[in-house]
Structures are given as C-alpha cells and as structure tokens.
mmCIF file of all heavy atoms in Angstrom:
data_model
loop_
_atom_site.group_PDB
_atom_site.id
_atom_site.type_symbol
_atom_site.label_atom_id
_atom_site.label_comp_id
_atom_site.label_asym_id
_atom_site.label_seq_id
_atom_site.Cartn_x
_atom_site.Cartn_y
_atom_site.Cartn_z
ATOM 1 N N MET Q 16 -3.449 11.604 9.295
ATOM 2 C CA MET Q 16 -2.906 11.611 7.925
ATOM 3 C C MET Q 16 -2.579 10.193 7.492
ATOM 4 O O MET Q 16 -1.993 9.420 8.243
ATOM 5 C CB MET Q 16 -1.640 12.474 7.899
ATOM 6 C CG MET Q 16 -1.209 12.841 6.478
ATOM 7 S SD MET Q 16 -2.192 14.209 5.852
ATOM 8 C CE MET Q 16 -1.298 14.608 4.366
ATOM 9 N N ALA Q 17 -2.949 9.882 6.271
ATOM 10 C CA ALA Q 17 -2.662 8.562 5.734
ATOM 11 C C ALA Q 17 -1.168 8.395 5.492
ATOM 12 O O ALA Q 17 -0.480 9.321 5.113
ATOM 13 C CB ALA Q 17 -3.414 8.356 4.430
ATOM 14 N N LYS Q 18 -0.712 7.215 5.734
ATOM 15 C CA LYS Q 18 0.708 6.931 5.594
ATOM 16 C C LYS Q 18 0.912 5.798 4.597
ATOM 17 O O LYS Q 18 0.295 4.740 4.715
ATOM 18 C CB LYS Q 18 1.268 6.542 6.967
ATOM 19 C CG LYS Q 18 2.770 6.488 7.030
ATOM 20 C CD LYS Q 18 3.189 6.209 8.466
ATOM 21 C CE LYS Q 18 4.695 6.153 8.603
ATOM 22 N NZ LYS Q 18 5.095 5.894 10.002
ATOM 23 N N CYS Q 19 1.809 6.012 3.647
ATOM 24 C CA CYS Q 19 2.058 5.002 2.623
ATOM 25 C C CYS Q 19 2.632 3.722 3.237
ATOM 26 O O CYS Q 19 3.554 3.767 4.048
ATOM 27 C CB CYS Q 19 3.010 5.580 1.586
ATOM 28 S SG CYS Q 19 3.556 4.368 0.372
ATOM 29 N N THR Q 20 2.071 2.585 2.850
ATOM 30 C CA THR Q 20 2.521 1.306 3.388
ATOM 31 C C THR Q 20 3.939 0.971 2.936
ATOM 32 O O THR Q 20 4.705 0.348 3.660
ATOM 33 C CB THR Q 20 1.566 0.189 2.920
ATOM 34 O OG1 THR Q 20 0.244 0.520 3.336
ATOM 35 C CG2 THR Q 20 1.939 -1.153 3.519
ATOM 36 N N SER Q 21 4.280 1.385 1.727
ATOM 37 C CA SER Q 21 5.568 1.005 1.158
ATOM 38 C C SER Q 21 6.726 1.872 1.653
ATOM 39 O O SER Q 21 7.761 1.368 2.058
ATOM 40 C CB SER Q 21 5.509 1.079 -0.368
ATOM 41 O OG SER Q 21 4.522 0.205 -0.862
ATOM 42 N N CYS Q 22 6.556 3.191 1.601
ATOM 43 C CA CYS Q 22 7.680 4.074 1.893
ATOM 44 C C CYS Q 22 7.482 4.903 3.158
ATOM 45 O O CYS Q 22 8.406 5.552 3.619
ATOM 46 C CB CYS Q 22 7.943 4.997 0.697
ATOM 47 S SG CYS Q 22 6.688 6.249 0.440
ATOM 48 N N GLY Q 23 6.269 4.878 3.727
ATOM 49 C CA GLY Q 23 6.042 5.627 4.952
ATOM 50 C C GLY Q 23 5.792 7.103 4.721
ATOM 51 O O GLY Q 23 5.653 7.865 5.664
ATOM 52 N N ASN Q 24 5.713 7.474 3.471
ATOM 53 C CA ASN Q 24 5.454 8.858 3.113
ATOM 54 C C ASN Q 24 4.062 9.283 3.601
ATOM 55 O O ASN Q 24 3.083 8.586 3.383
ATOM 56 C CB ASN Q 24 5.544 9.012 1.592
ATOM 57 C CG ASN Q 24 5.392 10.454 1.148
ATOM 58 O OD1 ASN Q 24 5.474 11.374 1.961
ATOM 59 N ND2 ASN Q 24 5.173 10.644 -0.136
ATOM 60 N N GLU Q 25 3.994 10.435 4.254
ATOM 61 C CA GLU Q 25 2.711 10.898 4.768
ATOM 62 C C GLU Q 25 2.169 12.066 3.970
ATOM 63 O O GLU Q 25 1.087 12.558 4.245
ATOM 64 C CB GLU Q 25 2.843 11.301 6.238
ATOM 65 C CG GLU Q 25 3.065 10.106 7.141
ATOM 66 C CD GLU Q 25 3.100 10.522 8.607
ATOM 67 O OE1 GLU Q 25 2.371 11.438 8.978
ATOM 68 O OE2 GLU Q 25 3.871 9.919 9.342
ATOM 69 N N SER Q 26 2.939 12.503 2.998
ATOM 70 C CA SER Q 26 2.480 13.645 2.205
ATOM 71 C C SER Q 26 2.002 13.165 0.841
ATOM 72 O O SER Q 26 2.296 12.046 0.425
ATOM 73 C CB SER Q 26 3.610 14.661 2.036
ATOM 74 O OG SER Q 26 4.687 14.086 1.339
ATOM 75 N N GLY Q 27 1.271 14.001 0.158
ATOM 76 C CA GLY Q 27 0.760 13.647 -1.154
ATOM 77 C C GLY Q 27 -0.476 12.794 -1.042
ATOM 78 O O GLY Q 27 -1.008 12.551 0.042
ATOM 79 N N GLU Q 28 -0.924 12.326 -2.184
ATOM 80 C CA GLU Q 28 -2.146 11.543 -2.226
ATOM 81 C C GLU Q 28 -1.858 10.079 -1.933
ATOM 82 O O GLU Q 28 -0.970 9.474 -2.514
ATOM 83 C CB GLU Q 28 -2.805 11.680 -3.604
ATOM 84 C CG GLU Q 28 -4.156 11.020 -3.653
ATOM 85 C CD GLU Q 28 -5.101 11.759 -4.591
ATOM 86 O OE1 GLU Q 28 -4.911 12.950 -4.817
ATOM 87 O OE2 GLU Q 28 -6.036 11.116 -5.083
ATOM 88 N N VAL Q 29 -2.604 9.524 -1.018
ATOM 89 C CA VAL Q 29 -2.434 8.120 -0.665
ATOM 90 C C VAL Q 29 -3.750 7.397 -0.908
ATOM 91 O O VAL Q 29 -4.785 7.780 -0.375
ATOM 92 C CB VAL Q 29 -2.016 7.962 0.814
ATOM 93 C CG1 VAL Q 29 -1.976 6.493 1.206
ATOM 94 C CG2 VAL Q 29 -0.647 8.601 1.039
ATOM 95 N N ILE Q 30 -3.720 6.368 -1.736
ATOM 96 C CA ILE Q 30 -4.929 5.598 -1.979
ATOM 97 C C ILE Q 30 -4.990 4.436 -1.002
ATOM 98 O O ILE Q 30 -3.965 3.858 -0.641
ATOM 99 C CB ILE Q 30 -5.024 5.083 -3.429
ATOM 100 C CG1 ILE Q 30 -3.806 4.223 -3.795
ATOM 101 C CG2 ILE Q 30 -5.165 6.233 -4.406
ATOM 102 C CD1 ILE Q 30 -4.135 3.214 -4.865
ATOM 103 N N LYS Q 31 -6.202 4.108 -0.582
ATOM 104 C CA LYS Q 31 -6.390 3.027 0.372
ATOM 105 C C LYS Q 31 -7.181 1.902 -0.272
ATOM 106 O O LYS Q 31 -8.123 2.147 -1.014
ATOM 107 C CB LYS Q 31 -7.152 3.540 1.601
ATOM 108 C CG LYS Q 31 -6.457 4.688 2.283
ATOM 109 C CD LYS Q 31 -7.324 5.207 3.417
ATOM 110 C CE LYS Q 31 -6.690 6.436 4.024
ATOM 111 N NZ LYS Q 31 -7.505 6.994 5.120
ATOM 112 N N PHE Q 32 -6.788 0.701 -0.001
ATOM 113 C CA PHE Q 32 -7.525 -0.453 -0.517
ATOM 114 C C PHE Q 32 -7.241 -1.635 0.384
ATOM 115 O O PHE Q 32 -6.204 -1.696 1.051
ATOM 116 C CB PHE Q 32 -7.105 -0.764 -1.954
ATOM 117 C CG PHE Q 32 -5.631 -1.029 -2.124
ATOM 118 C CD1 PHE Q 32 -5.156 -2.331 -2.129
ATOM 119 C CD2 PHE Q 32 -4.741 0.019 -2.251
ATOM 120 C CE1 PHE Q 32 -3.796 -2.578 -2.281
ATOM 121 C CE2 PHE Q 32 -3.377 -0.224 -2.399
ATOM 122 C CZ PHE Q 32 -2.905 -1.516 -2.412
ATOM 123 N N ASN Q 33 -8.152 -2.572 0.400
ATOM 124 C CA ASN Q 33 -7.943 -3.764 1.212
ATOM 125 C C ASN Q 33 -7.017 -4.729 0.498
ATOM 126 O O ASN Q 33 -7.021 -4.824 -0.715
ATOM 127 C CB ASN Q 33 -9.282 -4.449 1.517
ATOM 128 C CG ASN Q 33 -10.078 -3.695 2.548
ATOM 129 O OD1 ASN Q 33 -9.523 -3.205 3.532
ATOM 130 N ND2 ASN Q 33 -11.368 -3.573 2.337
ATOM 131 N N CYS Q 34 -6.255 -5.469 1.264
ATOM 132 C CA CYS Q 34 -5.340 -6.458 0.704
ATOM 133 C C CYS Q 34 -6.114 -7.440 -0.171
ATOM 134 O O CYS Q 34 -7.154 -7.949 0.243
ATOM 135 C CB CYS Q 34 -4.653 -7.195 1.850
ATOM 136 S SG CYS Q 34 -3.787 -8.681 1.322
ATOM 137 N N PRO Q 35 -5.634 -7.690 -1.409
ATOM 138 C CA PRO Q 35 -6.333 -8.584 -2.327
ATOM 139 C C PRO Q 35 -6.419 -10.016 -1.819
ATOM 140 O O PRO Q 35 -7.286 -10.780 -2.254
ATOM 141 C CB PRO Q 35 -5.486 -8.527 -3.600
ATOM 142 C CG PRO Q 35 -4.632 -7.307 -3.474
ATOM 143 C CD PRO Q 35 -4.436 -7.103 -2.001
ATOM 144 N N ARG Q 36 -5.531 -10.399 -0.951
ATOM 145 C CA ARG Q 36 -5.544 -11.791 -0.489
ATOM 146 C C ARG Q 36 -6.409 -11.979 0.757
ATOM 147 O O ARG Q 36 -7.367 -12.731 0.744
ATOM 148 C CB ARG Q 36 -4.126 -12.263 -0.183
ATOM 149 C CG ARG Q 36 -4.106 -13.727 0.227
ATOM 150 C CD ARG Q 36 -2.783 -14.101 0.856
ATOM 151 N NE ARG Q 36 -1.845 -14.649 -0.129
ATOM 152 C CZ ARG Q 36 -0.619 -15.046 0.194
ATOM 153 N NH1 ARG Q 36 -0.184 -14.930 1.425
ATOM 154 N NH2 ARG Q 36 0.167 -15.528 -0.720
ATOM 155 N N CYS Q 37 -6.089 -11.264 1.817
ATOM 156 C CA CYS Q 37 -6.834 -11.473 3.062
ATOM 157 C C CYS Q 37 -8.052 -10.556 3.155
ATOM 158 O O CYS Q 37 -8.956 -10.802 3.934
ATOM 159 C CB CYS Q 37 -5.927 -11.279 4.265
ATOM 160 S SG CYS Q 37 -5.297 -9.600 4.455
ATOM 161 N N ASN Q 38 -8.054 -9.494 2.348
ATOM 162 C CA ASN Q 38 -9.180 -8.578 2.305
ATOM 163 C C ASN Q 38 -9.480 -7.942 3.655
ATOM 164 O O ASN Q 38 -10.590 -7.499 3.919
ATOM 165 C CB ASN Q 38 -10.433 -9.288 1.781
ATOM 166 C CG ASN Q 38 -11.327 -8.314 1.037
ATOM 167 O OD1 ASN Q 38 -10.846 -7.369 0.425
ATOM 168 N ND2 ASN Q 38 -12.622 -8.537 1.076
ATOM 169 N N LYS Q 39 -8.519 -7.931 4.537
ATOM 170 C CA LYS Q 39 -8.743 -7.373 5.875
ATOM 171 C C LYS Q 39 -7.860 -6.170 6.121
ATOM 172 O O LYS Q 39 -8.310 -5.129 6.590
ATOM 173 C CB LYS Q 39 -8.455 -8.431 6.945
ATOM 174 C CG LYS Q 39 -9.564 -9.447 7.071
ATOM 175 C CD LYS Q 39 -9.174 -10.518 8.091
ATOM 176 C CE LYS Q 39 -10.205 -11.645 8.104
ATOM 177 N NZ LYS Q 39 -9.720 -12.794 8.873
ATOM 178 N N LYS Q 40 -6.599 -6.359 5.825
ATOM 179 C CA LYS Q 40 -5.638 -5.295 6.094
ATOM 180 C C LYS Q 40 -5.798 -4.163 5.095
ATOM 181 O O LYS Q 40 -5.870 -4.397 3.892
ATOM 182 C CB LYS Q 40 -4.223 -5.876 6.045
ATOM 183 C CG LYS Q 40 -3.123 -4.854 6.192
ATOM 184 C CD LYS Q 40 -2.928 -4.452 7.640
ATOM 185 C CE LYS Q 40 -1.770 -3.451 7.724
ATOM 186 N NZ LYS Q 40 -1.675 -2.865 9.069
ATOM 187 N N LEU Q 41 -5.875 -2.954 5.618
ATOM 188 C CA LEU Q 41 -5.988 -1.790 4.752
ATOM 189 C C LEU Q 41 -4.598 -1.346 4.305
ATOM 190 O O LEU Q 41 -3.768 -0.975 5.121
ATOM 191 C CB LEU Q 41 -6.689 -0.655 5.505
ATOM 192 C CG LEU Q 41 -7.018 0.579 4.665
ATOM 193 C CD1 LEU Q 41 -8.052 0.241 3.603
ATOM 194 C CD2 LEU Q 41 -7.530 1.703 5.551
ATOM 195 N N MET Q 42 -4.378 -1.435 2.999
ATOM 196 C CA MET Q 42 -3.103 -1.018 2.452
ATOM 197 C C MET Q 42 -3.210 0.424 1.981
ATOM 198 O O MET Q 42 -4.260 0.848 1.498
ATOM 199 C CB MET Q 42 -2.707 -1.918 1.270
ATOM 200 C CG MET Q 42 -2.860 -3.399 1.536
ATOM 201 S SD MET Q 42 -1.873 -4.006 2.901
ATOM 202 C CE MET Q 42 -0.229 -3.922 2.181
ATOM 203 N N GLN Q 43 -2.137 1.138 2.111
ATOM 204 C CA GLN Q 43 -2.127 2.533 1.687
ATOM 205 C C GLN Q 43 -0.885 2.804 0.844
ATOM 206 O O GLN Q 43 0.220 2.481 1.245
ATOM 207 C CB GLN Q 43 -2.148 3.450 2.917
ATOM 208 C CG GLN Q 43 -3.333 3.175 3.800
ATOM 209 C CD GLN Q 43 -3.371 4.086 5.014
ATOM 210 O OE1 GLN Q 43 -4.436 4.391 5.520
ATOM 211 N NE2 GLN Q 43 -2.210 4.506 5.473
ATOM 212 N N ARG Q 44 -1.124 3.360 -0.307
ATOM 213 C CA ARG Q 44 0.011 3.629 -1.196
ATOM 214 C C ARG Q 44 -0.031 5.047 -1.725
ATOM 215 O O ARG Q 44 -1.079 5.527 -2.165
ATOM 216 C CB ARG Q 44 0.009 2.657 -2.379
ATOM 217 C CG ARG Q 44 0.189 1.225 -1.974
ATOM 218 C CD ARG Q 44 0.342 0.345 -3.175
ATOM 219 N NE ARG Q 44 1.737 0.278 -3.607
ATOM 220 C CZ ARG Q 44 2.125 0.027 -4.853
ATOM 221 N NH1 ARG Q 44 1.234 -0.170 -5.759
ATOM 222 N NH2 ARG Q 44 3.397 -0.032 -5.145
ATOM 223 N N CYS Q 45 1.125 5.676 -1.750
ATOM 224 C CA CYS Q 45 1.202 7.043 -2.259
ATOM 225 C C CYS Q 45 1.360 7.022 -3.777
ATOM 226 O O CYS Q 45 1.668 5.992 -4.364
ATOM 227 C CB CYS Q 45 2.356 7.807 -1.597
ATOM 228 S SG CYS Q 45 4.000 7.251 -2.085
ATOM 229 N N ASP Q 46 1.155 8.182 -4.377
ATOM 230 C CA ASP Q 46 1.268 8.314 -5.832
ATOM 231 C C ASP Q 46 2.613 7.827 -6.343
ATOM 232 O O ASP Q 46 2.700 7.171 -7.364
ATOM 233 C CB ASP Q 46 1.101 9.792 -6.222
ATOM 234 C CG ASP Q 46 -0.355 10.122 -6.464
ATOM 235 O OD1 ASP Q 46 -1.163 9.181 -6.509
ATOM 236 O OD2 ASP Q 46 -0.672 11.304 -6.589
ATOM 237 N N LYS Q 47 3.649 8.187 -5.623
ATOM 238 C CA LYS Q 47 4.999 7.862 -6.066
ATOM 239 C C LYS Q 47 5.189 6.349 -6.158
ATOM 240 O O LYS Q 47 5.633 5.824 -7.172
ATOM 241 C CB LYS Q 47 6.016 8.458 -5.082
ATOM 242 C CG LYS Q 47 7.417 8.520 -5.646
ATOM 243 C CD LYS Q 47 8.392 9.113 -4.636
ATOM 244 C CE LYS Q 47 8.899 8.046 -3.687
ATOM 245 N NZ LYS Q 47 9.798 8.603 -2.671
ATOM 246 N N CYS Q 48 4.832 5.636 -5.110
ATOM 247 C CA CYS Q 48 5.005 4.189 -5.091
ATOM 248 C C CYS Q 48 4.107 3.514 -6.126
ATOM 249 O O CYS Q 48 4.467 2.497 -6.697
ATOM 250 C CB CYS Q 48 4.710 3.649 -3.703
ATOM 251 S SG CYS Q 48 5.954 4.117 -2.497
ATOM 252 N N ARG Q 49 2.963 4.100 -6.366
ATOM 253 C CA ARG Q 49 2.062 3.539 -7.353
ATOM 254 C C ARG Q 49 2.657 3.688 -8.754
ATOM 255 O O ARG Q 49 2.678 2.751 -9.539
ATOM 256 C CB ARG Q 49 0.713 4.253 -7.291
ATOM 257 C CG ARG Q 49 -0.460 3.360 -7.588
ATOM 258 C CD ARG Q 49 -1.709 3.774 -6.838
ATOM 259 N NE ARG Q 49 -1.931 5.209 -6.856
ATOM 260 C CZ ARG Q 49 -2.722 5.827 -7.738
ATOM 261 N NH1 ARG Q 49 -3.364 5.158 -8.646
ATOM 262 N NH2 ARG Q 49 -2.889 7.128 -7.678
ATOM 263 N N SER Q 50 3.177 4.860 -9.076
ATOM 264 C CA SER Q 50 3.716 5.092 -10.416
ATOM 265 C C SER Q 50 5.021 4.329 -10.633
ATOM 266 O O SER Q 50 5.350 3.940 -11.740
ATOM 267 C CB SER Q 50 3.915 6.587 -10.660
ATOM 268 O OG SER Q 50 4.822 7.125 -9.730
ATOM 269 N N LEU Q 51 5.762 4.109 -9.565
ATOM 270 C CA LEU Q 51 7.027 3.382 -9.688
ATOM 271 C C LEU Q 51 6.841 1.890 -9.455
ATOM 272 O O LEU Q 51 7.777 1.112 -9.528
ATOM 273 C CB LEU Q 51 8.043 3.930 -8.671
ATOM 274 C CG LEU Q 51 8.486 5.378 -8.883
ATOM 275 C CD1 LEU Q 51 9.433 5.802 -7.772
ATOM 276 C CD2 LEU Q 51 9.162 5.549 -10.227
ATOM 277 N N SER Q 52 5.608 1.489 -9.139
ATOM 278 C CA SER Q 52 5.301 0.087 -8.869
ATOM 279 C C SER Q 52 6.172 -0.486 -7.755
ATOM 280 O O SER Q 52 6.664 -1.613 -7.831
ATOM 281 C CB SER Q 52 5.433 -0.773 -10.137
ATOM 282 O OG SER Q 52 4.469 -0.380 -11.084
ATOM 283 N N ILE Q 53 6.382 0.335 -6.740
ATOM 284 C CA ILE Q 53 7.124 -0.132 -5.572
ATOM 285 C C ILE Q 53 6.297 -1.211 -4.871
ATOM 286 O O ILE Q 53 5.088 -1.087 -4.730
ATOM 287 C CB ILE Q 53 7.373 1.041 -4.594
ATOM 288 C CG1 ILE Q 53 8.105 2.178 -5.293
ATOM 289 C CG2 ILE Q 53 8.134 0.559 -3.365
ATOM 290 C CD1 ILE Q 53 9.541 1.912 -5.640
ATOM 291 N N GLU Q 54 6.947 -2.257 -4.457
ATOM 292 C CA GLU Q 54 6.192 -3.352 -3.840
ATOM 293 C C GLU Q 54 5.714 -2.993 -2.428
ATOM 294 O O GLU Q 54 6.282 -2.148 -1.746
ATOM 295 C CB GLU Q 54 7.036 -4.613 -3.788
ATOM 296 C CG GLU Q 54 8.202 -4.526 -2.818
ATOM 297 C CD GLU Q 54 8.919 -5.864 -2.697
ATOM 298 O OE1 GLU Q 54 8.827 -6.699 -3.624
ATOM 299 O OE2 GLU Q 54 9.580 -6.065 -1.680
ATOM 300 N N TYR Q 55 4.654 -3.657 -2.037
ATOM 301 C CA TYR Q 55 4.146 -3.483 -0.678
ATOM 302 C C TYR Q 55 3.914 -4.864 -0.098
ATOM 303 O O TYR Q 55 3.826 -5.859 -0.813
ATOM 304 C CB TYR Q 55 2.846 -2.666 -0.677
ATOM 305 C CG TYR Q 55 1.742 -3.247 -1.523
ATOM 306 C CD1 TYR Q 55 0.793 -4.104 -0.977
ATOM 307 C CD2 TYR Q 55 1.644 -2.934 -2.878
ATOM 308 C CE1 TYR Q 55 -0.220 -4.639 -1.749
ATOM 309 C CE2 TYR Q 55 0.634 -3.465 -3.652
ATOM 310 C CZ TYR Q 55 -0.290 -4.307 -3.084
ATOM 311 O OH TYR Q 55 -1.287 -4.838 -3.849
ATOM 312 N N LYS Q 56 3.834 -4.914 1.188
ATOM 313 C CA LYS Q 56 3.747 -6.203 1.852
ATOM 314 C C LYS Q 56 2.668 -6.163 2.925
ATOM 315 O O LYS Q 56 2.593 -5.237 3.707
ATOM 316 C CB LYS Q 56 5.097 -6.521 2.504
ATOM 317 C CG LYS Q 56 5.400 -8.007 2.580
ATOM 318 C CD LYS Q 56 6.754 -8.211 3.254
ATOM 319 C CE LYS Q 56 7.814 -8.600 2.240
ATOM 320 N NZ LYS Q 56 9.099 -8.966 2.893
ATOM 321 N N CYS Q 57 1.822 -7.197 2.908
ATOM 322 C CA CYS Q 57 0.793 -7.319 3.932
ATOM 323 C C CYS Q 57 1.264 -8.330 4.976
ATOM 324 O O CYS Q 57 1.981 -9.282 4.649
ATOM 325 C CB CYS Q 57 -0.500 -7.794 3.285
ATOM 326 S SG CYS Q 57 -1.831 -8.111 4.454
ATOM 327 N N PRO Q 58 0.852 -8.162 6.219
ATOM 328 C CA PRO Q 58 1.217 -9.131 7.262
ATOM 329 C C PRO Q 58 0.766 -10.559 6.947
ATOM 330 O O PRO Q 58 1.325 -11.519 7.465
ATOM 331 C CB PRO Q 58 0.480 -8.603 8.509
ATOM 332 C CG PRO Q 58 0.328 -7.151 8.263
ATOM 333 C CD PRO Q 58 0.162 -6.994 6.780
ATOM 334 N N CYS Q 59 -0.216 -10.715 6.060
ATOM 335 C CA CYS Q 59 -0.682 -12.054 5.702
ATOM 336 C C CYS Q 59 0.294 -12.750 4.768
ATOM 337 O O CYS Q 59 0.152 -13.932 4.484
ATOM 338 C CB CYS Q 59 -2.071 -11.993 5.065
ATOM 339 S SG CYS Q 59 -2.066 -11.433 3.346
ATOM 340 N N GLY Q 60 1.266 -12.003 4.238
ATOM 341 C CA GLY Q 60 2.263 -12.610 3.368
ATOM 342 C C GLY Q 60 2.151 -12.169 1.930
ATOM 343 O O GLY Q 60 3.011 -12.463 1.115
ATOM 344 N N PHE Q 61 1.078 -11.455 1.628
ATOM 345 C CA PHE Q 61 0.882 -11.008 0.257
ATOM 346 C C PHE Q 61 1.868 -9.898 -0.095
ATOM 347 O O PHE Q 61 2.097 -9.000 0.705
ATOM 348 C CB PHE Q 61 -0.548 -10.507 0.059
ATOM 349 C CG PHE Q 61 -0.824 -10.027 -1.345
ATOM 350 C CD1 PHE Q 61 -1.180 -10.932 -2.335
ATOM 351 C CD2 PHE Q 61 -0.721 -8.686 -1.661
ATOM 352 C CE1 PHE Q 61 -1.427 -10.495 -3.631
ATOM 353 C CE2 PHE Q 61 -0.976 -8.246 -2.961
ATOM 354 C CZ PHE Q 61 -1.330 -9.153 -3.938
ATOM 355 N N GLU Q 62 2.429 -9.980 -1.291
ATOM 356 C CA GLU Q 62 3.289 -8.926 -1.759
ATOM 357 C C GLU Q 62 2.774 -8.408 -3.080
ATOM 358 O O GLU Q 62 2.549 -9.187 -4.004
ATOM 359 C CB GLU Q 62 4.734 -9.428 -1.918
ATOM 360 C CG GLU Q 62 5.433 -9.623 -0.585
ATOM 361 C CD GLU Q 62 6.869 -10.097 -0.765
ATOM 362 O OE1 GLU Q 62 7.579 -9.501 -1.588
ATOM 363 O OE2 GLU Q 62 7.262 -11.051 -0.090
ATOM 364 N N GLY Q 63 2.571 -7.105 -3.161
ATOM 365 C CA GLY Q 63 2.085 -6.504 -4.394
ATOM 366 C C GLY Q 63 3.208 -5.837 -5.157
ATOM 367 O O GLY Q 63 4.311 -5.858 -4.677
ATOM 368 N N PRO Q 64 2.905 -5.188 -6.231
ATOM 369 C CA PRO Q 64 1.620 -4.778 -6.763
ATOM 370 C C PRO Q 64 0.933 -5.933 -7.462
ATOM 371 O O PRO Q 64 -0.226 -6.006 -7.575
ATOM 372 C CB PRO Q 64 1.989 -3.690 -7.771
ATOM 373 C CG PRO Q 64 3.368 -4.042 -8.224
ATOM 374 C CD PRO Q 64 4.001 -4.799 -7.106
HETATM 375 ZN ZN1 ZN X 16 4.974 5.479 -0.923
HETATM 376 ZN ZN1 ZN X 17 -3.292 -9.463 3.468
#
C-alpha cells in the first residue's frame, strides 16, 4: 500500500511522482495533503509543494 510522504496516511488515493529537484526519490502524497497543500520533504533537501 502506498504511504503518503507528508502525513504517513496509507488510506485513500495517493499520487506518486518523482522529486522535482533530484528526480530520483519517489514522493507520495494523499488527496488530503494535496488539497491542503501540506508540505513534503525530500532527502535531497527539496521542500514542496
Ligand atoms: Zn497525506
Ligand atoms: Zn529530491
């Protein structure tokens, strides 16, 4: 099951995309974090949204 990078939520729809900066790390975000624009953090130092 996909797990949201921001909140750790494993339920609901989670979209996956590569980090815009390093393009290596797969980021996963749930609907909730996406609609609330909750920030996420990549190990490379990138912080979204
Ligand atoms: Zn989330
Ligand atoms: Zn990155």
Side-chain angles (χ1 to χ4, degrees):
M16 195 80 170
K18 192 175 180 180
C19 173
T20 303
S21 300
C22 71
N24 185 14
E25 290 184 35
S26 62
E28 187 147 335
V29 174
I30 57 153
K31 302 176 185 179
F32 57 96
N33 286 319
C34 167
R36 183 194 267 180
C37 65
N38 211 31
K39 283 176 187 169
K40 175 79 178 171
L41 187 66
M42 313 300 288
Q43 303 181 151
R44 297 187 87 206
C45 70
D46 271 350
K47 196 180 85 182
C48 290
R49 214 149 44 95
S50 61
L51 295 177
S52 295
I53 303 289
E54 69 174 23
Y55 57 93
K56 210 180 254 187
C57 176
C59 77
F61 180 84
E62 286 181 47

